[in-house]
Coordinates of all heavy atoms in Angstrom, one line a residue:
T89 N 18.9 29.0 -11.1 CA 19.3 27.9 -11.8 C 20.8 28.1 -12.4 O 21.4 29.1 -12.2 CB 18.2 27.9 -13.1 OG1 18.5 29.1 -13.9 CG2 16.9 27.9 -12.6
T90 N 21.1 27.1 -13.3 CA 22.5 27.2 -13.8 C 22.6 28.4 -14.7 O 23.7 28.8 -15.0 CB 22.7 25.9 -14.7 OG1 21.6 25.8 -15.6 CG2 22.9 24.7 -13.9
G91 N 21.5 28.9 -15.3 CA 21.6 30.1 -16.1 C 21.6 31.4 -15.3 O 21.4 32.5 -15.9
N92 N 21.7 31.3 -14.1 CA 21.8 32.4 -13.1 C 20.5 33.2 -13.1 O 20.4 34.5 -13.0 CB 22.9 33.4 -13.3 CG 23.3 34.2 -12.1 OD1 23.0 33.8 -11.0 ND2 23.8 35.4 -12.4
T93 N 19.3 32.5 -13.3 CA 18.0 33.2 -13.2 C 17.3 32.7 -12.0 O 17.5 31.5 -11.5 CB 17.2 32.8 -14.5 OG1 17.1 31.5 -14.5 CG2 17.7 33.4 -15.7
V94 N 16.4 33.5 -11.4 CA 15.8 33.2 -10.2 C 14.9 32.0 -10.4 O 14.1 32.1 -11.4 CB 14.9 34.4 -9.6 CG1 14.2 33.9 -8.4 CG2 15.9 35.5 -9.2
N95 N 15.0 31.0 -9.6 CA 14.1 29.8 -9.6 C 12.9 30.0 -8.7 O 11.9 29.7 -9.1 CB 14.9 28.6 -9.3 CG 14.0 27.3 -9.2 OD1 13.4 26.9 -10.2 ND2 14.0 26.7 -8.0
A96 N 13.3 30.4 -7.4 CA 12.2 30.7 -6.4 C 12.7 31.6 -5.2 O 13.9 31.7 -5.0 CB 11.8 29.3 -5.8
T97 N 11.9 32.4 -4.7 CA 12.1 33.2 -3.6 C 11.7 32.4 -2.4 O 10.6 32.0 -2.2 CB 11.4 34.5 -3.5 OG1 11.8 35.2 -4.8 CG2 11.7 35.3 -2.4
L98 N 12.7 32.1 -1.4 CA 12.4 31.4 -0.3 C 12.0 32.3 0.9 O 11.2 31.9 1.7 CB 13.7 30.6 0.1 CG 14.3 29.7 -1.0 CD1 15.6 29.0 -0.4 CD2 13.3 28.6 -1.3
A99 N 12.6 33.5 1.0 CA 12.2 34.4 2.1 C 12.6 35.9 1.6 O 13.5 35.9 0.8 CB 12.9 34.0 3.3
S100 N 12.0 36.8 2.2 CA 12.4 38.2 2.0 C 11.8 39.0 3.2 O 11.0 38.6 4.0 CB 11.8 38.7 0.7 OG 10.4 38.7 0.8
G101 N 12.5 40.1 3.4 CA 12.1 41.0 4.6 C 13.0 42.2 4.7 O 13.8 42.4 3.7
D102 N 12.9 42.9 5.7 CA 13.8 44.0 6.0 C 14.1 44.2 7.5 O 13.5 43.6 8.3 CB 13.3 45.3 5.3 CG 11.9 45.7 5.9 OD1 12.1 46.0 7.1 OD2 11.0 45.9 5.2
T103 N 15.0 45.1 7.8 CA 15.4 45.4 9.2 C 14.7 46.7 9.8 O 15.1 47.0 10.9 CB 16.9 45.6 9.2 OG1 17.3 46.8 8.4 CG2 17.7 44.4 8.7
S104 N 13.7 47.2 9.0 CA 13.2 48.5 9.5 C 12.6 48.5 10.8 O 12.6 49.5 11.5 CB 12.2 49.1 8.4 OG 11.1 48.1 8.4
A105 N 12.2 47.4 11.3 CA 11.5 47.3 12.6 C 12.4 47.0 13.8 O 12.1 47.2 15.0 CB 10.4 46.2 12.7
F106 N 13.8 46.7 13.4 CA 14.6 46.4 14.5 C 15.1 47.7 15.2 O 15.5 48.7 14.5 CB 16.0 45.8 13.9 CG 15.6 44.3 13.3 CD1 16.2 44.0 12.2 CD2 14.6 43.6 13.8 CE1 15.9 42.7 11.6 CE2 14.2 42.4 13.3 CZ 14.9 41.9 12.1
T107 N 15.2 47.7 16.5 CA 15.5 49.0 17.2 C 16.8 48.9 17.9 O 17.3 49.8 18.6 CB 14.4 49.2 18.3 OG1 14.3 48.1 19.2 CG2 13.2 49.6 17.6
T108 N 17.5 47.8 17.8 CA 18.9 47.6 18.4 C 20.0 47.4 17.4 O 19.6 47.1 16.2 CB 18.8 46.4 19.4 OG1 18.5 45.2 18.6 CG2 17.8 46.5 20.5
T109 N 21.2 47.4 17.8 CA 22.3 47.1 16.8 C 22.5 45.7 16.5 O 23.3 45.3 15.7 CB 23.6 47.7 17.3 OG1 23.9 47.2 18.6 CG2 23.4 49.2 17.4
Y110 N 21.8 44.8 17.2 CA 21.9 43.3 17.0 C 20.5 42.8 17.0 O 19.6 43.1 17.9 CB 22.7 42.5 18.1 CG 22.6 41.1 17.8 CD1 23.5 40.5 16.9 CD2 21.8 40.3 18.5 CE1 23.4 39.1 16.6 CE2 21.6 38.9 18.3 CZ 22.5 38.4 17.4 OH 22.4 37.0 17.0
A111 N 20.0 42.1 16.0 CA 18.7 41.5 15.9 C 18.6 40.2 15.2 O 19.6 39.9 14.4 CB 17.8 42.5 15.2
E112 N 17.8 39.5 15.4 CA 17.7 38.1 14.8 C 16.2 37.9 14.2 O 15.2 38.3 14.9 CB 18.0 37.0 15.7 CG 18.1 35.6 15.1 CD 18.6 34.5 16.1 OE1 19.3 34.9 17.1 OE2 18.2 33.3 15.8
T113 N 16.1 37.2 13.1 CA 14.8 37.0 12.6 C 14.9 35.5 12.1 O 15.9 35.0 11.6 CB 14.4 37.9 11.4 OG1 13.1 37.5 11.0 CG2 15.3 37.8 10.2
N114 N 13.8 34.8 12.3 CA 13.7 33.4 11.9 C 12.4 33.2 11.1 O 11.4 33.8 11.3 CB 13.6 32.5 13.2 CG 14.9 32.7 14.0 OD1 15.9 32.2 13.7 ND2 14.6 33.4 15.1
G115 N 12.4 32.2 10.3 CA 11.1 31.9 9.5 C 11.2 30.5 8.9 O 12.2 29.8 8.9
T116 N 10.0 30.0 8.6 CA 9.9 28.7 7.9 C 9.9 28.9 6.4 O 9.4 29.9 5.9 CB 8.6 28.0 8.4 OG1 7.5 28.9 8.1 CG2 8.6 27.7 9.8
I117 N 10.3 27.9 5.7 CA 10.4 27.9 4.2 C 9.4 26.9 3.6 O 8.5 27.2 3.1 CB 11.8 27.8 3.7 CG1 12.7 28.9 4.2 CG2 11.8 27.7 2.2 CD1 14.2 28.8 3.9
G118 N 9.7 25.6 3.8 CA 8.9 24.5 3.4 C 8.8 24.5 1.8 O 7.7 24.4 1.3
A119 N 10.0 24.5 1.1 CA 10.0 24.5 -0.3 C 11.2 23.6 -0.8 O 12.3 23.8 -0.3 CB 10.0 25.8 -0.9
A120 N 10.9 22.9 -1.9 CA 12.0 22.2 -2.6 C 12.9 23.2 -3.4 O 12.3 24.1 -3.9 CB 11.4 21.0 -3.4
A121 N 14.1 22.9 -3.8 CA 15.0 23.6 -4.5 C 14.6 23.6 -6.0 O 14.7 24.5 -6.8 CB 16.3 23.2 -4.3
G122 N 13.9 22.5 -6.4 CA 13.5 22.3 -7.7 C 14.7 22.3 -8.7 O 15.6 21.7 -8.5
S123 N 14.6 23.2 -9.7 CA 15.8 23.3 -10.6 C 16.8 24.2 -10.1 O 17.8 24.5 -10.8 CB 15.3 23.8 -12.0 OG 14.6 25.0 -11.9
G124 N 16.7 24.8 -8.8 CA 17.6 25.7 -8.2 C 18.8 25.0 -7.8 O 18.8 23.9 -7.2
I125 N 20.1 25.4 -8.2 CA 21.3 24.7 -7.8 C 22.1 25.6 -6.9 O 23.0 25.2 -6.3 CB 22.1 24.4 -9.0 CG1 22.6 25.5 -9.8 CG2 21.3 23.3 -9.9 CD1 23.7 25.2 -10.8
V126 N 21.8 26.8 -6.7 CA 22.5 27.8 -5.9 C 21.5 28.5 -5.1 O 20.4 29.0 -5.6 CB 23.3 28.9 -6.7 CG1 24.0 29.9 -5.9 CG2 24.4 28.1 -7.5
V127 N 21.8 28.7 -3.8 CA 21.0 29.5 -2.9 C 21.7 30.8 -2.8 O 23.0 30.9 -2.5 CB 20.8 28.9 -1.5 CG1 20.1 29.9 -0.6 CG2 20.1 27.6 -1.6
R128 N 21.1 32.0 -2.9 CA 21.8 33.3 -2.9 C 21.0 34.2 -1.9 O 19.7 34.2 -1.9 CB 21.9 33.9 -4.3 CG 22.8 35.1 -4.4 CD 23.0 35.5 -5.7 NE 22.2 36.7 -6.1 CZ 22.2 37.2 -7.3 NH1 22.9 36.7 -8.2 NH2 21.4 38.3 -7.5
F129 N 21.7 34.9 -1.1 CA 21.3 35.8 -0.1 C 21.7 37.2 -0.5 O 22.9 37.5 -0.6 CB 21.8 35.5 1.3 CG 21.3 36.5 2.4 CD1 20.0 36.4 2.8 CD2 22.2 37.3 3.0 CE1 19.6 37.4 3.9 CE2 21.8 38.2 4.0 CZ 20.5 38.2 4.4
D130 N 20.8 38.1 -0.9 CA 21.1 39.4 -1.3 C 20.6 40.5 -0.3 O 19.5 40.2 0.3 CB 20.5 39.7 -2.6 CG 21.0 38.8 -3.8 OD1 22.1 38.5 -3.7 OD2 20.1 38.5 -4.6
I131 N 21.3 41.6 -0.2 CA 20.8 42.7 0.6 C 20.8 44.0 -0.1 O 21.6 44.1 -1.1 CB 21.7 42.8 1.9 CG1 23.2 43.1 1.6 CG2 21.5 41.6 2.9 CD1 24.1 43.4 2.7
T132 N 19.9 44.9 0.3 CA 19.9 46.2 -0.4 C 19.7 47.3 0.6 O 18.9 47.1 1.5 CB 18.6 46.2 -1.3 OG1 18.7 45.2 -2.4 CG2 18.6 47.6 -2.0
K133 N 20.5 48.3 0.5 CA 20.6 49.4 1.5 C 19.4 50.5 1.0 O 19.4 50.7 -0.1 CB 21.9 50.0 1.5 CG 22.1 51.1 2.5 CD 23.6 51.7 2.3 CE 23.9 52.7 3.5 NZ 25.4 53.0 3.3
H134 N 18.8 51.0 2.1 CA 17.8 52.0 1.9 C 18.2 53.3 2.7 O 18.5 53.2 3.9 CB 16.4 51.5 2.3 CG 16.0 50.3 1.5 ND1 15.3 50.4 0.4 CD2 16.1 49.1 1.8 CE1 15.1 49.2 -0.1 NE2 15.5 48.3 0.8
A135 N 18.3 54.3 2.0 CA 18.7 55.7 2.5 C 20.0 55.6 3.2 O 21.0 55.0 2.6 CB 17.5 56.1 3.4
S136 N 20.2 56.1 4.5 CA 21.5 56.2 5.2 C 21.6 55.1 6.1 O 22.2 55.4 7.3 CB 21.6 57.6 5.7 OG 21.7 58.6 4.7
A137 N 21.2 53.8 5.9 CA 21.4 52.8 6.8 C 23.0 52.6 7.1 O 23.7 52.8 6.3 CB 20.8 51.5 6.3
G138 N 23.3 52.2 8.3 CA 24.7 51.9 8.7 C 25.1 50.6 8.1 O 24.3 49.8 7.5
N139 N 26.4 50.3 8.3 CA 26.9 49.1 7.9 C 26.0 47.9 8.4 O 25.6 48.0 9.5 CB 28.4 48.9 8.2 CG 29.3 49.7 7.4 OD1 28.8 50.5 6.6 ND2 30.6 49.6 7.5
I140 N 26.1 46.7 7.8 CA 25.4 45.6 8.2 C 26.3 44.3 8.1 O 27.1 44.2 7.2 CB 24.0 45.3 7.5 CG1 23.2 44.3 8.1 CG2 24.4 45.1 6.0 CD1 21.8 44.2 7.6
S141 N 26.2 43.4 9.1 CA 27.0 42.2 9.1 C 26.1 41.0 9.4 O 25.8 40.8 10.5 CB 28.2 42.3 10.1 OG 28.9 41.2 10.1
P142 N 25.4 40.5 8.3 CA 24.5 39.4 8.5 C 25.2 38.1 8.8 O 26.2 37.8 8.3 CB 23.8 39.4 7.2 CG 24.7 39.9 6.2 CD 25.6 40.9 6.9

Side-chain angles (χ1 to χ4, degrees):
T89 65
T90 52
N92 201 32
T93 56
V94 175
N95 176 62
T97 298
L98 304 175
S100 62
D102 65 59
T103 65
S104 63
F106 300 146
T107 58
T108 62
T109 57
Y110 176 83
E112 185 174 337
T113 186
N114 302 287
T116 56
I117 298 173
S123 60
I125 63 160
V126 172
V127 176
R128 194 167 100 180
F129 179 70
D130 297 324
I131 57 174
T132 302
K133 184 178 186 174
H134 298 273
S136 298
N139 287 7
I140 189 168
S141 184

